Amino acid sequence: MDRRVLFATLILLAGGATGVGVALFAFVGVDDATTETTVVWESEPAAGDDGSGAVIATVDGDPLLLRPAVENGSRVVTATVAGTDETPWTVPISGPDAERGGGGGTGDGGEDADGNDSDGSGESPVAVSGLTAGTLGGDPVVALTTASGELVVVDAADGTERFAVDLGGPSGLRPAIGDLTGDGSREVAAVTTDGGVRVVDGEGDSVAEASLSGAIDRRPLVVEPDADADVRGGLAVLTDAGNPATVHMLDGSGDTRWTTEPNVNPLSWSAADSRDGPVLALGGANGNIEAIEASDGSDRYEVKLQDRPIAVGDADPGRVYVGGLGSVWAVDLTDGEVIWKQQYGASTRINEPRMADVDGNGERAPVVVNRAGGVLAMTQSGEVIARGDAGDVVAYGGPLFADVTGDGGDEVIVVADDGTAIAIDT
């Protein structure tokens, strides 16, 4: 089949009444010349997580796959050198092998480790959040929260605990790492399910606290400031107060800069930059994407993508990538124009898109994994460069990336619902 580009108009019958935009998009067909993928590595399973909580951290040039797991009745974080069977460290977080007590679980499996909507089975509830990889004081770290209400940060190099902070309420929601104030030092932000917010510095000392009305069931987002562009930073927190929710933007001291009630019921969200300033991109249960100005909370646009829930993923300057039922979109962050749409996997749900340089050409581009373990790698213009699958697996999280083969390009790592990591060469 020759590559086809079909221009279509998505007409929204209710658009005039609701203010929801009309999306023009280019549908990009899959080319027969697309490269098929090859599985180059598979890890052992890691019980106790549905796969969505794993991250990659780079330590001394080596990519480490970090996964929450259960060993000997304890909740642990385990590190595996990607592409090998080497496990340099495993650290207990809660349970009989840990000094602190653990919680009984984060819920019924209805959400992924980001606090985003998921179809997990709920058979193995975890007592920790998904992991967040980052740096503090130049050192690679991994952060998590427990269901019983602790923020725990460990050094990614050896698993040594850097600090643990009592959050004052139940959590189990993924924390965020970023520079809230623009002083060059990164902070860690965590939330509790009962509306608490805590921001600590690289030593675990508290720098900001807040108590918000409503419950929290989504991870917080760091919007980093840019003094050159006169952009203020902040911490975005989503609560269930309001109709259907409320977005709170806090400053570096924990004070509220603004609040707003979005139009969509957000099941996923991310912070992104655009040429008109940073925005919060919300993926709605109704298939709409909404962009909110990070500066003042005003609504930039709302656009209908489909009639089923969507997952907002990574962004590059100017556009955000979105996954849905059998489709991937690139959406302009400035005006909501759908730059292109790629169909994949029929009616299988696609997890949040992420970006990496999978072909070694120096350009980061979107890659997606669907719930059946199917993998699709694209260029920034939506052309497919590789497609394949991780075998007979179920995957609830987006793709991870690491150079497993040493060829200079990232391999795509799919983490299945039993914690098995599968590296795919594109």
Side-chain angles (χ1 to χ4, degrees):
M1 177 184 70
D2 293 331
R3 176 178 176 273
R4 296 170 297 158
V5 180
L6 304 178
F7 291 92
T9 302
L10 179 61
I11 300 175
L12 306 179
L13 298 179
T18 64
V20 178
V22 176
L24 300 178
F25 61 85
F27 172 75
V28 183
V30 178
D31 196 324
D32 279 344
T34 297
T35 302
E36 294 294 332
T37 60
T38 304
V39 173
V40 294
W41 172 68
E42 184 172 324
S43 76
E44 293 296 321
D49 182 56
D50 67 0
S52 64
V55 294
I56 294 288
T58 301
V59 177
D60 296 329
D62 291 327
L64 290 185
L65 171 68
L66 307 176
R67 291 172 290 176
V70 175
E71 290 188 6
N72 301 321
S74 292
R75 306 290 176 169
V76 304
V77 174
T78 183
T80 302
V81 178
T84 76
D85 295 328
E86 180 183 352
T87 301
W89 56 263
T90 297
V91 58
I93 301 299
S94 65
D97 293 335
E99 295 182 358
R100 67 185 67 83
T106 58
D108 61 1
E111 297 171 353
D112 66 18
D114 280 338
N116 290 330
D117 180 65
S118 170
D119 292 335
S121 65
E123 295 178 356
S124 300
V126 295
V128 298
S129 70
L131 308 180
T132 298
T135 59
L136 292 176
D139 300 322
V141 299
V142 61
L144 58 90
T145 69
T146 69
S148 56
E150 277 192 307
L151 167 66
V152 182
V153 177
V154 302
D155 288 325
D158 57 11
T160 301
E161 183 180 290
R162 192 178 183 104
F163 58 80
V165 175
D166 183 0
L167 296 176
S171 187
L173 297 171
R174 202 169 216 148
I177 299 176
D179 182 2
L180 284 173
T181 61
D183 63 357
S185 298
R186 289 174 170 252
E187 292 83 31
V188 186
V191 295
T192 62
T193 58
D194 58 3
V197 180
R198 177 74 65 86
V199 181
V200 300
D201 63 17
E203 302 302 321
D205 296 325
S206 182
V207 297
E209 295 184 38
S211 180
L212 306 178
S213 60
I216 301 174
D217 61 3
R218 298 285 179 265
R219 61 192 173 105
L221 301 177
V222 172
V223 178
E224 295 195 348
D226 185 344
D228 294 336
D230 195 27
V231 172
R232 298 178 63 185
L235 182 70
V237 181
L238 188 66
T239 71
D240 67 359
N243 183 23
T246 298
V247 178
H248 307 253
M249 181 63 75
L250 311 181
D251 63 19
S253 300
D255 295 328
T256 299
R257 283 174 42 201
W258 54 258
T259 62
T260 189
E261 294 186 12
N263 296 317
V264 303
N265 180 16
L267 300 184
S268 63
W269 70 331
S270 66
D273 291 326
S274 76
R275 59 182 178 269
D276 291 334
V279 298
L280 304 177
L282 283 63
N286 60 353
N288 291 9
I289 181 171
E290 182 176 0
I292 295 174
E293 300 283 357
S295 59
D296 59 10
S298 60
D299 201 56
R300 183 176 287 190
Y301 61 77
E302 181 184 355
V303 172
K304 186 80 170 178
L305 298 180
Q306 62 178 200
D307 293 326
R308 303 294 296 273
I310 55 175
V312 175
D314 282 353
D316 57 23
R319 66 179 66 177
V320 64
Y321 300 99
V322 183
L325 198 67
S327 296
V328 186
W329 298 266
V331 181
D332 192 295
L333 286 166
T334 300
D335 57 13
E337 176 188 359
V338 177
I339 302 168
W340 52 258
K341 174 184 177 181
Q342 180 64 256
Q343 291 183 322
Y344 179 65
S347 60
T348 303
R349 186 171 174 182
I350 293 175
N351 302 323
E352 69 275 14
R354 292 178 178 158
M355 298 185 67
D357 177 16
V358 297
D359 57 5
N361 69 353
E363 178 184 271
R364 283 166 39 89
V367 180
V368 297
V369 172
N370 67 20
R371 293 293 170 92
V375 175
L376 193 70
M378 294 157 283
T379 67
Q380 289 187 3
S381 60
E383 297 181 19
V384 175
I385 57 177
R387 58 180 171 181
D389 64 74
D392 186 16
V393 303
V394 176
Y396 292 124
L400 304 178
F401 307 100
D403 185 3
V404 172
T405 62
D407 62 357
D410 289 327
E411 275 68 56
V412 180
I413 297 180
V414 178
V415 185
D417 64 345
D418 65 352
T420 301
I422 302 105
I424 299 173
D425 188 1
T426 58

